Amino acid sequence: MKIISYTFLHCSLLLLFFSLPLSAADSSVAVSSTGSASIRPDMVEFTVLLTDTAPSASEATGRTAEKYRRVQDALRTQGVLAEDASSVSYGVRQQWEWDNASRRRVFKGYTSTHMLHVTVRRLENAGRVIDSSVKAGADEIQGIVFTSSRNEEVRRAALADAVRQARTDAEVMAKAANVSLGVLLDLQTAFSPFYPVGEFDAMPVRKLEAASPSTEVSPGTLVIKAKVFCRWALSR
């Protein structure tokens, strides 16, 4: 009789436990999701590298400064504003080379480098701006990236898409567990970079000169992603 009584008591407690409503502190479901939205780019950004090597530091910097002035003048002519052609890096360093015959380093002079970040706000002008920069003295065109003036609008659309996906996943999980989705307990987002289609490596001047008379760039679709972390309470 004691064994039967204990078994009955144990089963009664289990039934009582499962009949109690789950509180937010007792049970919840956490979901992470990534949403995306796409748009056709209407802008392009790239970096212009100016560099020169000379026997003295002053001569190297002087040559680079002259290139800088010519490139900036060319950019103004093409409608690029001064604030859209800003300096992002500048440096002067000694140039050494290893000489196998003497088995020692040989001083070759000083190298000056100046990098500009250029934003072209009308995509159709990108080719002309690149060509003008090269003709004015640019040594390399680097990191061409297509972007959009509507990035923030598209980012918000991606964020909404991520939340919708997270809720759908949470509802599927709750239904499979035979519980109901309750109130939203936590909602967070994390930075997610833009994913432009059509990003190029450095384009040395010799490549540009060997190409067609007019440089053309062809953008793909700009995909912007957003990631969210959500947590909902569960109830029976």
Side-chain angles (χ1 to χ4, degrees):
M1 289 296 294
K2 289 184 178 180
I3 295 176
I4 295 175
S5 298
Y6 289 149
T7 302
F8 177 78
L9 178 61
H10 179 68
C11 292
S12 299
L13 290 174
L14 287 175
L15 289 173
L16 178 62
F17 173 78
F18 283 110
S19 65
L20 292 174
L22 293 174
S23 66
D26 292 330
S27 185
S28 63
V29 58
V31 180
S32 66
S33 180
T34 300
S36 63
S38 60
I39 191 173
R40 290 287 295 178
D42 59 8
M43 298 166 53
V44 66
E45 301 177 9
F46 57 87
T47 301
V48 176
L49 173 65
L50 311 171
T51 184
D52 214 307
T53 300
S56 67
S58 59
E59 187 176 356
T61 56
R63 291 178 182 177
T64 305
E66 179 58 30
K67 288 183 180 181
Y68 172 82
R69 285 189 289 270
R70 293 200 308 266
V71 169
Q72 286 286 15
D73 288 344
L75 292 173
R76 295 299 90 71
T77 301
Q78 292 298 325
V80 178
L81 301 177
E83 54 265 34
D84 287 334
S86 57
S87 298
V88 293
S89 177
Y90 184 87
V92 181
R93 69 180 187 277
Q94 293 182 343
Q95 194 72 30
W96 295 81
E97 290 184 5
W98 179 258
D99 183 67
N100 288 325
S102 61
R103 299 188 62 81
R104 63 183 181 87
R105 293 196 309 159
V106 178
F107 178 69
K108 293 294 184 179
Y110 293 85
T111 296
S112 170
T113 58
H114 194 161
M115 296 186 72
L116 305 176
H117 182 266
V118 178
T119 300
V120 182
R121 299 189 179 276
R122 294 179 64 88
L123 186 60
E124 61 271 22
N125 295 339
R128 292 197 301 272
V129 173
I130 291 173
D131 289 341
S132 296
S133 300
V134 171
K135 291 176 182 177
D139 294 288
E140 285 188 8
I141 304 296
Q142 302 179 352
I144 296 179
V145 177
F146 299 107
T147 184
S148 172
S149 57
R150 297 171 56 200
N151 276 345
E152 183 57 28
E153 174 188 341
V154 180
R155 187 192 70 85
R156 290 194 293 267
L159 203 58
D161 180 56
V163 174
R164 284 192 297 268
Q165 290 189 46
R167 183 174 183 87
T168 298
D169 289 348
E171 289 173 343
V172 170
M173 295 168 66
K175 184 177 180 180
N178 198 29
V179 293
S180 299
L181 204 62
V183 297
L184 180 66
L185 301 175
D186 193 17
L187 179 60
Q188 301 179 34
T189 185
F191 170 77
S192 185
F194 301 147
Y195 292 89
V197 177
E199 183 173 350
F200 302 95
D201 294 329
M203 300 168 62
V205 171
R206 60 179 179 275
K207 289 186 179 179
L208 295 175
E209 291 175 345
S212 60
S214 178
T215 298
E216 296 182 7
V217 292
S218 300
T221 300
L222 184 67
V223 179
I224 296 178
K225 296 187 177 183
K227 189 169 186 177
V228 296
F229 303 90
C230 310
R231 188 165 65 92
W232 282 271
L234 295 176
S235 59
R236 294 189 183 280

